[in-house]
Amino acid sequence: MKLKIFMAIAISFFSLNILAENYILQLGQSIRLPLKSYEKISISGNQNIYWHDLGSKLKITGKTEGSSTIETPTKIYTIQVLNNANYKVYKQLKNLLSRMKGLHIGFENDVLTFTGRMYRFKDWLSINKIAKSNNFHYLIKAQLDKDVIKDALNYYKPKLKFYSDQLPKINFSPGPTIYRLNKKNSKQLDYQFQQYGFQITNQDSSEIEQQVRLKLYFVEVSNAEQTRLGISWVGAFQAKVYKKFIDNTSFEGFLNQISTHGSASVKYTTELLCEINSECEFKE
């Protein structure tokens, strides 16, 4: 019994030696760390900070954007320096988090990152609102509740339709991530989803199933044009498009032509992205 108590005390004692403190500084802002001049100190990323030995303390001032690490035998200090605009956004988001449960804010690889647990999708939307209004890039690495994932899919998946010719893969564990083809023309959309807290990752085209984009037209036509469109009203409703209209350009041109003459009216159009050799459902 005594041995067990000793082991618990020993573990607690040695765990105290592994301490870390994080600081977020604005350019030109200073803090003082309780570091003695005779302590063994290692500084990495010192190009981002000014430091001045005050004897009993070490004065740290933000120099340029980026992160620095100060290590001592007993503690690790991480200093993140932000420009004035990003520091303002950081303060807004930190203030927002004070009204939320479960989320924590910090930096990973110079990117503002939310960790912890997200219980409500509306919290994510509140973060989005601040980030988008400031063109700010952040990451969500918090654990998402099932209801949050469900709401996120309903909200973000329709936006992916305009992301690229082939629908990217989207995952929410361990964090919201979009896997997409490496396409140069996707950079602007990459940036938009980074403002939603997504990580963007490339995937090989061999990993993506073959897909086809379909454009659906809901058209009201006169009886005279039914035959030309291949529509039959005998029995159940049937429709087909003749080969000469397979090309989207010629088909759209044909619809424009008969619409101009008052023989048709396009009521609604939409697009579907379907995987080849699999069912594709449409509900509207």
Side-chain angles (χ1 to χ4, degrees), residues 137-148:
H137 169 203
Y138 70 96
L139 285 176
I140 293 286
K141 288 194 173 182
Q143 182 182 349
L144 307 180
D145 275 13
K146 289 183 179 179
D147 289 343
V148 176

Side-chain angles (χ1 to χ4, degrees), residues 243-261:
K243 289 183 179 180
K244 65 178 180 178
F245 298 131
I246 289 297
D247 176 62
N248 285 341
T249 304
S250 62
F251 183 62
E252 290 177 357
F254 174 73
L255 285 179
N256 289 335
Q257 180 185 9
I258 61 176
S259 297
T260 303
H261 291 83

Side-chain angles (χ1 to χ4, degrees), residues 26-29 46-50 61-65 81:
Q26 190 175 4
L27 288 174
Q29 185 179 4
N46 58 358
Q47 73 275 8
N48 300 317
I49 58 173
Y50 295 109
T61 305
K63 180 182 177 183
T64 60
E65 291 182 84
V81 182

Side-chain angles (χ1 to χ4, degrees), residues 109-253:
N109 300 320
D110 296 335
V111 178
L112 190 144
T113 304
F114 291 89
T115 56
R117 186 161 187 169
M118 183 177 288
Y119 298 98
R120 306 180 305 177
F121 181 63
K122 68 178 184 179
D123 291 345
W124 195 349
L125 293 180
S126 298
I127 294 170
N128 283 351
K129 185 177 179 180
I130 294 176
K132 290 204 73 177
S133 63
N134 292 278
N135 292 321
F136 193 78
H137 169 203
Y138 70 96
L139 285 176
I140 293 286
K141 288 194 173 182
Q143 182 182 349
L144 307 180
D145 275 13
K146 289 183 179 179
D147 289 343
V148 176
I149 293 176
K150 180 181 177 182
D151 291 339
L153 278 171
N154 291 334
Y155 184 81
Y156 293 116
K157 204 163 185 180
K159 300 178 185 295
L160 291 176
K161 182 174 71 171
F162 304 101
Y163 196 88
S164 66
D165 291 336
Q166 291 181 301
L167 188 66
K169 179 182 177 183
I170 182 171
N171 279 343
F172 289 96
S173 180
T177 306
I178 291 174
Y179 299 87
R180 60 104 166 109
L181 287 172
N182 186 10
K183 291 193 173 183
K184 294 181 180 179
N185 59 357
S186 296
K187 286 185 178 179
Q188 182 60 32
L189 288 163
D190 285 353
Y191 183 73
Q192 289 181 22
F193 272 89
Q194 285 169 342
Q195 291 178 326
Y196 294 139
F198 281 81
Q199 180 177 338
I200 311 298
T201 302
N202 292 330
Q203 66 175 352
D204 295 332
S205 58
S206 59
E207 297 177 1
I208 300 180
E209 295 188 39
Q210 226 176 351
Q211 297 170 326
V212 61
R213 186 182 295 276
L214 303 177
K215 190 164 186 178
L216 302 184
Y217 296 84
F218 293 81
V219 186
E220 185 179 69
V221 296
S222 65
N223 292 335
E225 298 296 341
Q226 288 179 15
T227 304
R228 294 183 66 190
L229 279 172
I231 299 174
S232 172
W233 298 98
V234 179
F237 171 80
Q238 294 178 346
K240 69 177 181 178
V241 178
Y242 288 129
K243 289 183 179 180
K244 65 178 180 178
F245 298 131
I246 289 297
D247 176 62
N248 285 341
T249 304
S250 62
F251 183 62
E252 290 177 357

Side-chain angles (χ1 to χ4, degrees), residues 94-112:
K94 188 176 181 181
N95 181 58
L96 177 67
L97 256 64
S98 67
R99 305 191 295 271
M100 297 178 181
K101 284 186 177 180
L103 289 176
H104 310 288
I105 192 170
F107 281 83
E108 290 187 16
N109 300 320
D110 296 335
V111 178
L112 190 144

